[in-house]
Amino acid sequence: MADAAPSNDTARLEAFSDGVFAIAITLLVLEVRVPGGNGTLAHKLADAWPGYIGYAISFVTIGIMWANHHSVFRLIARTTHGLIVGNLLLLLTVAFLPFPTTVLAEHLRHGGADQRTAAVFYSGTFILIAIGFQVLWQVASRGNRLILPGREAAADQISRSYRWGVPSYVVSTLLALWKPPAGLALVGAMALFWTIPRGRAE
Amino acid sequence: MADAAPSNDTARLEAFSDGVFAIAITLLVLEVRVPGGNGTLAHKLADAWPGYIGYAISFVTIGIMWANHHSVFRLIARTTHGLIVGNLLLLLTVAFLPFPTTVLAEHLRHGGADQRTAAVFYSGTFILIAIGFQVLWQVASRGNRLILPGREAAADQISRSYRWGVPSYVVSTLLALWKPPAGLALVGAMALFWTIPRGRAE
Amino acid sequence: MADAAPSNDTARLEAFSDGVFAIAITLLVLEVRVPGGNGTLAHKLADAWPGYIGYAISFVTIGIMWANHHSVFRLIARTTHGLIVGNLLLLLTVAFLPFPTTVLAEHLRHGGADQRTAAVFYSGTFILIAIGFQVLWQVASRGNRLILPGREAAADQISRSYRWGVPSYVVSTLLALWKPPAGLALVGAMALFWTIPRGRAE
Amino acid sequence: MADAAPSNDTARLEAFSDGVFAIAITLLVLEVRVPGGNGTLAHKLADAWPGYIGYAISFVTIGIMWANHHSVFRLIARTTHGLIVGNLLLLLTVAFLPFPTTVLAEHLRHGGADQRTAAVFYSGTFILIAIGFQVLWQVASRGNRLILPGREAAADQISRSYRWGVPSYVVSTLLALWKPPAGLALVGAMALFWTIPRGRAE
């Protein structure tokens, strides 16, 4: 496996990650489906609304994660063996998102236990993603080991915001267990939280 | 999320967008299917003609949108937080197109209400895409904020042509409500309209 | 749409095309399927052999087309409006290949009329692809308009080999109509023919 | 097809390969599915565990192969006709992996003959992939023909480790025939073996 390499090596790691993000985001549409059964097409297309919502939320969320990944890598000077493994684990969690999105879209419409399960499963996936980001960032930033000289303050800013990741999604998952819409609303609110520009302290 | 950054940052935004366009365009073939039921394969393949037409129209349309996206970004000097969000919203609408394409292909053959619904849904998606392009372009061009110095006249040319986008697709959608083939013909005509080279005023 | 632009513009056109080739080649595996029904898994996996053959042939063929596309673009100095449109039409035909591959894989095992239809459909798709390559190459090479100075002899070499494309696939399609395996063998032989290095005359 | 070309040509070959790896790795999620039938969603999601394991193992494995491919190409000075063909054959085997992954995920839960068949099929695919890596590497390293000057010792290190590939997967496949979990454990252990950094001898 690739070992410590000069800074331009980051380029290929980023290109590969961009590919995975771009594919995961575009695959989401394959999970939007016209419900079967009788009735007019107009009625069925209207009935497919949870699919549209699931598509839009997951698309925007993966897009925001891509932009964050991008911000993080602008502070990283070089790749190491550990960074490649950490990045791979993050991508493992991100590329999984289309599955809980489908599960959510199929069960959002119905109330009851299955709706609750779907919301918990969806929100719980974000705990894993937050852990993935945290691990990648720890590998890169511990002792400013891989941080570009002069960008330490920017790195600190990112470290502070990442502290909110795992606890917030644990809360949203517990919320979803109690009241599914409330849990999903917190997941949406967190997506907005991640859009705040960070990592540009001078 | 990524903040204002030097010009070479546009490269990664473009590469990510290229990925999404390339995947969305290639996924279209997954929606071409041999109809089930009895009969010879020859008969079924002939019967699948709306799938071929849907594939070809959406492929060419996404290809033209890719080329336009490309033209637009050649005038843009740098990325900002707003540009990344605007671009993401545009990609959200573009990557959705395979779904209405399938719906259209499955219902084009049959006349009646469902054909009308499918044509309206397909044409209506282009209203959203046109809004997406408009929003991205407003973020970039308002006050020539992100426009490369010396390319202001080229940017004006693009601004003028984009004014036609939303109204044209509103008209094509209303047309499709009245006469589906007429609405689809206008969508096709607009695709040709977008192939006219723009943005090279000196 | 993008207009005549400096030489480095070819880079983005090539990157977009690479994306489409890479996705089309990787999507092929989605069409390999375990047949339903009763029986042991071992028996079913053995029974799926036409799927493996279809996957391998189409994978190698798209790979060879990618390499050819690559060779061709190394002789091209700049992009024009026409080149972008010609390239898009070529990609339209290449990205369609997964569909006839599936049709072939599903009907190769059974003899009779449907096997013949599938072979003719598969071979016929290559007529379209050959036309696509021919059109792209005509746009680029007519009067050496877009050819890099000094590479005219290499371009002539490619022009000569492309003359064989359309007629050969017309013959293979007629052969497939008469004897499906013979037609498919000629398609395979042509794939080998395209692997001969060209375009490096000094 | 592309002939011997200057070193920067490797860039496009790597970019194309990156695309195939990124797509193959992201497609894996499409094979994770909620089992049909009755029961609560919670029960079904728990029941889908072989799908999660299959996804995780194949994701990490393809990721490690990507990193290895990357290491190998950092030692290669230029592309040749043979290298392009060898690389294509390797990608042919890598891009096939989603299929045996699905087969494994669907049959891991059930014991008996089908579980054994699925494990043998999965492990056997790695024999083909190991042959693919071996062929690519032989083309590149035989007589240090395409190796960057000064990197011969690093290349030798890789040659030594690749000798273990084919025999190990033959053993894991035979093991799987006897005891499926033992065979799969060896496949997992080999994945860890490939993560050891190589190719950086000075």
Side-chain angles (χ1 to χ4, degrees):
Chain A
M1 190 182 254
D3 49 297
S7 162
N8 75 324
D9 216 40
T10 323
R12 205 175 158 191
L13 193 62
E14 289 179 73
F16 179 72
S17 308
D18 282 3
V20 172
F21 279 106
I23 298 154
I25 212 171
T26 320
L27 284 182
L28 291 167
V29 78
L30 294 182
E31 308 294 356
V32 182
R33 289 197 190 106
V34 183
N38 289 312
T40 64
L41 177 62
H43 190 266
K44 286 179 190 168
L45 288 176
D47 223 41
W49 64 266
Y52 309 145
I53 290 182
Y55 168 78
I57 291 178
S58 290
F59 194 100
V60 170
T61 306
I62 294 182
I64 291 167
M65 291 191 295
W66 169 77
N68 268 298
H69 188 266
H70 185 24
S71 297
V72 161
F73 268 84
R74 282 197 295 144
L75 303 180
I76 296 180
R78 58 195 173 84
T79 62
T80 61
H81 186 217
L83 193 75
I84 289 174
V85 173
N87 190 57
L88 195 59
L89 291 178
L90 170 61
L91 295 179
L92 174 77
T93 62
V94 170
F96 187 69
L97 199 55
F99 179 64
T101 302
T102 315
V103 170
L104 185 65
E106 275 169 6
H107 296 274
L108 200 59
R109 167 181 6 201
H110 318 293
D114 283 1
Q115 191 201 52
R116 172 167 288 115
T117 304
V120 168
F121 188 60
Y122 185 77
S123 177
T125 301
F126 283 96
I127 302 179
L128 293 180
I129 293 174
I131 292 174
F133 265 110
Q134 189 64 264
V135 167
L136 175 68
W137 184 242
Q138 287 299 322
V139 171
S141 70
R142 178 135 300 195
N144 287 320
R145 214 162 56 91
L146 305 179
I147 300 299
L148 277 168
R151 307 304 304 272
E152 291 83 2
D156 277 357
Q157 227 181 25
I158 287 183
S159 297
R160 273 194 302 277
S161 74
Y162 275 24
R163 261 179 230 141
W164 294 95
V166 177
S168 301
Y169 291 117
V170 168
V171 170
S172 70
T173 306
L174 292 172
L175 260 180
L177 200 59
W178 173 59
K179 256 190 179 336
L184 296 177
L186 181 52
V187 172
M190 286 306 291
L192 294 182
F193 172 73
W194 298 119
T195 63
I196 300 169
R198 286 181 193 91
R200 62 171 168 184
E202 61 271 58
Chain B
M1 189 185 255
D3 50 296
S7 162
N8 74 324
D9 218 40
T10 324
R12 203 173 161 193
L13 192 62
E14 288 180 72
F16 179 72
S17 307
D18 282 1
V20 172
F21 278 106
I23 299 153
I25 212 172
T26 320
L27 285 182
L28 291 168
V29 78
L30 294 182
E31 307 295 356
V32 181
R33 288 195 192 110
V34 182
N38 290 312
T40 64
L41 177 63
H43 190 266
K44 284 179 192 168
L45 288 176
D47 224 41
W49 64 266
Y52 309 144
I53 291 182
Y55 169 77
I57 291 178
S58 290
F59 195 100
V60 169
T61 306
I62 294 182
I64 292 167
M65 291 191 293
W66 169 76
N68 267 298
H69 188 267
H70 185 24
S71 296
V72 161
F73 268 83
R74 281 198 295 146
L75 303 180
I76 296 179
R78 58 196 174 82
T79 61
T80 61
H81 186 218
L83 193 75
I84 288 174
V85 172
N87 190 57
L88 195 59
L89 291 179
L90 171 61
L91 294 179
L92 174 77
T93 62
V94 170
F96 187 68
L97 199 56
F99 179 63
T101 301
T102 315
V103 170
L104 185 65
E106 275 169 6
H107 295 275
L108 201 58
R109 168 181 6 203
H110 319 293
D114 283 1
Q115 191 202 52
R116 172 166 289 115
T117 304
V120 168
F121 188 59
Y122 185 78
S123 177
T125 301
F126 283 95
I127 302 179
L128 293 180
I129 294 174
I131 292 173
F133 265 109
Q134 188 64 266
V135 167
L136 175 68
W137 184 242
Q138 287 299 321
V139 170
S141 71
R142 177 137 299 194
N144 288 319
R145 216 163 56 91
L146 305 179
I147 300 299
L148 278 168
R151 306 305 303 271
E152 292 83 1
D156 277 357
Q157 226 182 24
I158 287 183
S159 298
R160 273 194 302 277
S161 74
Y162 275 24
R163 262 179 230 139
W164 294 94
V166 177
S168 300
Y169 291 117
V170 168
V171 169
S172 70
T173 306
L174 292 173
L175 260 180
L177 200 60
W178 172 60
K179 259 194 178 331
L184 296 176
L186 181 52
V187 172
M190 286 306 292
L192 294 181
F193 173 74
W194 298 118
T195 64
I196 301 169
R198 287 183 193 89
R200 61 170 169 185
E202 61 271 55
Chain C
M1 189 184 253
D3 49 295
S7 163
N8 75 324
D9 217 41
T10 323
R12 204 173 160 193
L13 192 62
E14 288 180 72
F16 179 72
S17 307
D18 282 2
V20 172
F21 279 105
I23 298 153
I25 213 171
T26 319
L27 284 183
L28 291 167
V29 78
L30 294 182
E31 307 295 356
V32 182
R33 286 193 193 111
V34 183
N38 290 313
T40 64
L41 177 62
H43 190 266
K44 284 179 192 169
L45 287 177
D47 224 41
W49 64 266
Y52 309 145
I53 291 182
Y55 169 76
I57 291 178
S58 291
F59 194 99
V60 170
T61 306
I62 294 183
I64 292 168
M65 292 191 294
W66 170 77
N68 268 298
H69 189 266
H70 187 24
S71 296
V72 160
F73 268 84
R74 281 197 297 145
L75 303 180
I76 296 180
R78 58 194 172 83
T79 62
T80 61
H81 185 218
L83 193 76
I84 289 173
V85 172
N87 189 56
L88 195 59
L89 292 179
L90 170 62
L91 295 178
L92 174 77
T93 63
V94 170
F96 187 68
L97 200 56
F99 179 64
T101 300
T102 315
V103 170
L104 185 64
E106 275 169 7
H107 295 276
L108 201 58
R109 166 179 8 200
H110 318 294
D114 283 1
Q115 192 203 51
R116 173 166 288 116
T117 304
V120 168
F121 188 60
Y122 185 76
S123 176
T125 302
F126 283 96
I127 303 180
L128 293 179
I129 294 174
I131 293 174
F133 264 109
Q134 188 64 266
V135 167
L136 175 68
W137 184 241
Q138 287 299 323
V139 169
S141 70
R142 178 135 298 194
N144 288 319
R145 215 162 57 92
L146 306 179
I147 300 300
L148 277 168
R151 306 304 304 270
E152 291 82 2
D156 277 356
Q157 226 181 25
I158 287 183
S159 297
R160 273 193 301 277
S161 75
Y162 276 23
R163 264 181 227 137
W164 294 95
V166 177
S168 301
Y169 291 117
V170 168
V171 169
S172 71
T173 306
L174 292 173
L175 261 180
L177 199 60
W178 173 60
K179 259 194 176 333
L184 296 176
L186 181 52
V187 171
M190 286 305 293
L192 294 182
F193 173 73
W194 299 118
T195 64
I196 301 169
R198 287 183 194 90
R200 61 172 169 184
E202 61 270 54
Chain D
M1 191 183 252
D3 48 297
S7 163
N8 74 324
D9 217 41
T10 323
R12 206 176 158 191
L13 192 62
E14 289 180 72
F16 179 72
S17 308
D18 282 3
V20 172
F21 279 105
I23 298 154
I25 213 171
T26 320
L27 285 182
L28 291 166
V29 78
L30 294 183
E31 307 295 357
V32 182
R33 289 197 190 104
V34 183
N38 289 313
T40 63
L41 177 61
H43 191 266
K44 285 179 191 169
L45 287 176
D47 222 40
W49 64 265
Y52 309 146
I53 291 182
Y55 169 76
I57 291 178
S58 290
F59 195 99
V60 170
T61 306
I62 294 183
I64 291 167
M65 292 191 293
W66 170 77
N68 268 298
H69 188 266
H70 185 25
S71 297
V72 162
F73 267 85
R74 281 196 297 145
L75 303 180
I76 295 180
R78 58 195 172 82
T79 62
T80 60
H81 186 217
L83 193 76
I84 289 174
V85 172
N87 190 57
L88 194 59
L89 291 178
L90 171 63
L91 296 178
L92 174 77
T93 63
V94 170
F96 187 69
L97 199 56
F99 178 64
T101 301
T102 315
V103 170
L104 186 65
E106 275 169 6
H107 296 275
L108 201 58
R109 167 181 5 200
H110 318 295
D114 283 1
Q115 192 201 51
R116 172 165 290 116
T117 303
V120 168
F121 188 60
Y122 185 76
S123 177
T125 302
F126 284 96
I127 303 179
L128 293 180
I129 293 174
I131 292 174
F133 265 109
Q134 189 64 265
V135 167
L136 176 68
W137 185 241
Q138 287 299 323
V139 170
S141 69
R142 178 135 298 195
N144 287 320
R145 213 161 57 92
L146 305 179
I147 300 299
L148 277 168
R151 307 304 304 272
E152 291 82 3
D156 277 357
Q157 226 182 26
I158 288 183
S159 298
R160 274 193 301 278
S161 75
Y162 275 23
R163 262 181 229 140
W164 294 96
V166 177
S168 301
Y169 291 118
V170 168
V171 170
S172 71
T173 305
L174 292 173
L175 261 180
L177 200 59
W178 173 59
K179 258 192 177 336
L184 296 176
L186 182 51
V187 172
M190 286 306 292
L192 294 182
F193 172 73
W194 298 119
T195 64
I196 300 169
R198 287 183 193 90
R200 62 172 168 184
E202 60 269 55

